[in-house]
Amino acid sequence: QVQVVESGGASVKAGEPLTLSCTTFGLTFEQTSMAWFRQAPGKRRESVSCISWTEVTTFYADSVKGRFTVSRDNAKNMVYLQMNNLKPEDTAVYYCAASPPAMRGCTLHPSGYKYWGQGTQVTVSS
């Protein structure tokens, strides 16, 4: 059974950093592209970032470019989202998603991902 599990959500103040982590079970992680999405209350889910299984390709939403960094450690089955200079508008439930095996590159479109975590809450206060 495939599982995607996020962790690291917290309540922080604007300007502070926070790192989210995500791991998977039941997947060949080193052949799985990963992505982060988020959904704020009353808003549609939006893409945040993705990283290919080769680590060669990363993409970021314009709203987080220069502040967020995605990375992965295939030896540990972990993907990370380092978030710096957080803003109140970053408040959302953050979801980690995993692609089918051997996706070429990665995509910020949710249809590219087959497995999803339950989400972790990030709250940024001003």
Side-chain angles (χ1 to χ4, degrees):
Q1 182 178 358
V2 174
Q3 282 187 288
V4 178
V5 181
E6 309 95 336
S7 62
S11 294
V12 299
K13 294 185 177 180
E16 293 183 344
L18 187 67
T19 298
L20 303 182
S21 302
C22 172
T23 190
T24 69
F25 302 92
L27 290 173
T28 305
F29 186 78
E30 60 269 24
Q31 293 184 4
T32 302
S33 293
M34 302 294 294
W36 290 95
F37 296 83
R38 68 186 183 185
Q39 187 166 18
K43 295 188 177 181
R44 298 178 66 178
R45 180 177 53 188
E46 62 175 350
S47 59
V48 176
S49 183
C50 69
I51 184 167
S52 64
W53 57 276
T54 61
E55 302 180 64
V56 171
T57 302
T58 58
F59 291 122
Y60 296 91
D62 288 343
S63 58
V64 306
K65 278 181 183 175
R67 299 188 299 123
F68 290 12
T69 302
V70 64
S71 62
R72 63 189 294 160
D73 185 337
N74 286 345
K76 296 181 178 180
N77 273 28
M78 297 292 293
V79 63
Y80 305 99
L81 186 68
Q82 172 68 45
M83 304 184 292
N84 293 323
N85 191 22
L86 281 162
K87 304 176 181 181
E89 51 264 42
D90 294 317
T91 295
V93 177
Y94 283 71
Y95 297 92
C96 182
S99 75
M103 170 191 278
R104 178 173 294 184
C106 70
T107 176
L108 291 177
H109 200 286
S111 66
Y113 301 90
K114 185 175 181 180
Y115 308 102
W116 292 77
Q118 293 299 306
T120 187
Q121 177 70 47
V122 173
T123 302
V124 185
S125 59
S126 58

